[in-house]
Amino acid sequence: MSAIVAAHGPFEDDLGRRMLERMAHRGPDGVGFRRAGEGWVGSRYLSITDPDTGAQPLAGTRQAIWLVGDGKIYNDRRLRDQLGSDRFRTQSDLEVALHLYEDQGRRAFEQLWGTFALVITAADGRFTVARDVLGIAPLYWARRGDTVLFASELTAFDPDWRADVEPFPPGHSWTPEEGLIAGPTFPGASPVLLNSRAPHEEPPPWVFAALRDTIVRSVQQGLDAQVPVGVLLSGGVDSSIVVAVAAHLAGRQGRTLPTFAVGLEGSPDLLAARLVAQHCGTEHHELTYTAVDAIELVPRIIAELESFDPTLVHSAVPHFLVCGLAGQHVKVVLAGEGADELFAGYAHYGRHTSGAELHEELIETLEGMHIGGLQRVDRMAGAHGIEPRLPFLDLDVVELALALPPEWKLIGPDRPAKWMLRRAFDGWLPDEVLWRRKEQFGEGTGMNDVLREHYEATVTEEDLHANAGVLTPPLRTREELAYYRMFTEALPGFDVGRTIGRFVEA
């Protein structure tokens, strides 16, 4: 994880340094910046792959060119072999993007497999920005006159720039000459479906084996780091599968996997996490907190989260706490985000009787994750200076999951939510965990009711009626109005309709 700031056009170094300083939490290992041509790039970085020589900005070996980036390139080793090891000065996975760009220009980004937000500037005037197709690595931009600014978080921008800020679209690149350019098609938008048999029939065994093997490889990639790695264990099936796989892989190397869980005393998630940790033999750490602790954290959570959506706030509180716990022991954490969106894990997907309609909603949900669940994961980890990795959102997993006939994912009496994922890992976990009913992170930890009851009591119905219309669509509940006021106090000046994602009830 890193905090990046970049600008093209007239720009003062002092502004760049201020923007970086506001995101110091994302990159506690170092800071660097460089001006080249009409571009300025800067980074606060967290050293994961190459702690000794991977400082940013990274410099080209054949040209006067520099890169700052956030995220990870998963196919960097293959690209290194293709480019030639003699060109590389560091072990940083992001360096492959720099040298590929030296050779191929903007087309280089289409070959990168990973989660990234990258900015490249060169002395000859070239300047290019790119973001991964899922938007896992955060990036915002603001355009005014001849100057364009980029930053990893909203909080980086000076107050006089905030009205112009909006999310940089995932899967796109930008240059001053060509403007915004769409990259490859979103995976699964036009799927090549596996069709070895009719969708209403039982999937063949090889489908479950392929799912399992692909997820295992993705978890193995996530464990690749020169620093300690652990897993955030919510007690739900998704994070429990990640733990089961990671613990198995760590055990083969003679290591014990650290896991981390939080919750109110006696909460279902905390109890399930203990069961999984015991079953998998992990080095388990847990934190029990009180309702008062959670309530008092909310103003800080909203400022760090950069959102006031109640659904995100509910899950962000325990996520903030578990990231804080993990940050005392590791610098990288794996999490189970993305499985619900790929395998139809939410209860509201159960209303679909048509595979085509279900697939359409899954794609729509995945495309919106960058201003929803992914934002929560990123900001809560970033607040504690650790890097999150999401094995279920590795593009190999995404493409395979979205190539499955969506009829296989329909929820019915004999097929509970995510039944294909559960079946693929049959025997890896206790049945009471593997087939546990889906609960939202905030629900399983006990957060939803605690926060809703407290903050609804701070706003009257008359107050909501008088102020709901400040946004379009209107604020929906007294709780949401309370959170909106905290957000505008912590982060005033943004065009909320343009910058903040809001969960819409299905």
Side-chain angles (χ1 to χ4, degrees):
M1 172 173 285
S2 297
I4 62 174
V5 170
H8 185 270
F11 184 74
E12 297 294 331
D13 287 5
D14 286 346
L15 173 56
R17 286 193 288 264
R18 287 198 306 273
M19 294 176 72
L20 287 173
E21 187 57 32
R22 295 188 191 110
M23 298 186 291
H25 50 276
R26 292 183 70 90
D29 291 343
V31 60
F33 53 89
R34 183 81 186 204
R35 182 183 292 275
E38 289 293 308
W40 190 99
V41 292
S43 173
R44 294 285 314 222
Y45 51 86
L46 179 66
S47 296
I48 298 295
T49 305
D50 185 355
D52 297 324
T53 61
Q56 297 189 34
L58 295 168
T61 53
R62 298 180 178 176
Q63 303 167 20
I65 187 171
W66 291 267
L67 173 146
V68 294
D70 182 22
K72 181 170 176 59
I73 309 300
Y74 288 111
N75 60 340
D76 67 302
R77 291 178 181 173
R78 178 179 62 79
L79 293 173
R80 278 175 181 264
D81 293 340
Q82 173 184 317
L83 291 165
S85 59
D86 60 303
R87 297 181 65 173
F88 289 84
R89 295 173 175 170
T90 78
Q91 294 301 311
S92 170
D93 51 284
L94 297 180
E95 192 179 357
V96 299
L98 181 62
H99 298 315
L100 205 60
Y101 181 87
E102 287 182 303
D103 294 350
Q104 301 182 17
R106 185 179 51 78
R107 290 182 296 110
F109 301 126
E110 298 178 7
Q111 299 183 46
L112 302 180
W113 201 253
T115 64
F116 56 83
L118 306 172
V119 184
I120 295 175
T121 190
D124 61 11
R126 286 174 295 163
F127 185 91
T128 307
V129 181
R131 189 181 184 194
D132 72 83
V133 68
L134 292 174
I136 295 176
L139 190 64
Y140 294 90
W141 64 335
R143 293 167 283 181
R144 183 190 301 167
D146 294 329
T147 301
V148 185
L149 300 187
F150 302 85
S152 298
E153 293 182 0
L154 295 175
T155 192
F157 292 90
D158 271 11
D160 62 321
W161 276 91
R162 289 183 172 182
D164 300 310
V165 175
E166 57 188 324
F168 187 87
H172 286 67
S173 58
W174 182 88
T175 71
E177 298 79 21
E178 298 176 273
L180 200 60
I181 309 126
T185 304
F186 187 87
S190 301
V192 178
L193 297 177
L194 305 174
N195 57 1
S196 62
R197 61 186 64 186
H200 65 273
E201 295 184 79
E202 186 77 2
W206 67 263
V207 169
F208 299 105
L211 270 178
R212 183 172 55 253
D213 292 346
T214 305
I215 291 168
V216 168
R217 284 196 300 272
S218 179
V219 172
Q220 190 166 28
Q221 286 182 150
L223 293 172
D224 182 18
Q226 299 301 311
V227 296
V229 182
V231 181
L232 305 183
L233 176 54
S234 73
V237 64
D238 308 332
S239 65
S240 296
I241 286 173
V242 174
V243 167
V245 174
H248 173 71
L249 295 171
R252 284 167 48 181
Q253 298 176 351
R255 297 185 292 108
T256 301
L257 178 77
T259 53
F260 308 94
V262 300
L264 296 171
E265 184 63 44
S267 62
D269 276 1
L270 204 56
L271 298 176
R274 291 173 190 168
L275 178 62
V276 172
Q278 182 178 11
H279 178 84
C280 297
T282 70
E283 178 191 310
H284 192 54
H285 306 267
E286 69 176 38
L287 171 70
T288 302
Y289 58 90
T290 69
V292 172
D293 295 332
I295 289 166
E296 291 179 347
L297 268 176
V298 167
R300 179 179 177 186
I301 296 295
I302 288 172
E304 299 276 8
L305 179 64
E306 300 187 335
S307 175
F308 55 88
D309 182 87
T311 302
L312 285 184
V313 174
H314 293 168
S315 57
V317 171
H319 209 94
F320 178 88
L321 290 166
V322 76
C323 285
L325 176 63
Q328 299 173 29
H329 303 273
V330 300
K331 294 186 75 170
V332 175
V333 292
L334 308 188
E337 198 75 24
D340 289 314
E341 292 77 8
L342 291 173
F343 298 99
Y346 295 121
H348 65 263
Y349 292 138
R351 73 181 188 276
H352 290 294
T353 57
S354 160
E357 291 177 358
L358 173 61
H359 186 78
E360 183 179 347
E361 183 173 358
L362 294 178
I363 293 293
E364 182 180 340
T365 306
L366 284 161
E367 289 178 331
M369 284 185 72
H370 69 103
I371 51 173
L374 294 179
Q375 181 168 318
R376 168 180 49 78
V377 170
D378 175 85
R379 299 300 195 281
M380 298 302 98
H384 296 285
I386 59 176
E387 177 175 292
R389 294 182 179 176
L390 311 175
F392 288 114
L393 291 178
D394 176 273
L395 289 181
D396 284 333
V397 179
V398 172
E399 289 196 335
L400 175 57
L402 294 179
L404 300 172
E407 289 81 4
W408 286 349
K409 301 176 187 177
L410 290 172
I411 299 171
D414 300 324
R415 290 184 174 180
K418 290 183 294 194
W419 76 276
M420 293 194 71
L421 178 62
R422 299 173 197 262
R423 176 80 67 82
F425 285 91
D426 190 32
W428 287 63
L429 291 163
D431 282 351
E432 57 265 47
V433 174
L434 188 62
W435 297 97
R436 182 186 174 202
R437 181 183 71 86
K438 168 67 181 176
E439 292 179 297
Q440 297 280 2
F441 194 20
E443 180 184 0
T445 57
M447 271 301 88
N448 291 9
D449 293 339
V450 167
L451 298 182
R452 183 182 300 113
E453 291 173 7
H454 177 83
Y455 283 102
E456 280 192 345
T458 67
V459 175
T460 66
E461 283 293 339
E462 292 77 15
D463 203 6
L464 175 62
H465 181 74
N467 292 279
V470 297
L471 295 181
T472 302
L475 295 164
R476 296 155 292 186
T477 65
R478 304 198 309 272
E479 181 189 18
E480 188 176 30
L481 175 55
Y483 296 161
Y484 173 71
R485 287 171 170 168
M486 294 180 201
F487 175 88
T488 55
E489 181 178 352
L491 294 164
F494 291 102
D495 182 341
V496 170
R498 187 163 57 171
T499 58
I500 307 302
R502 296 171 65 195
F503 179 78
V504 178
E505 293 287 352

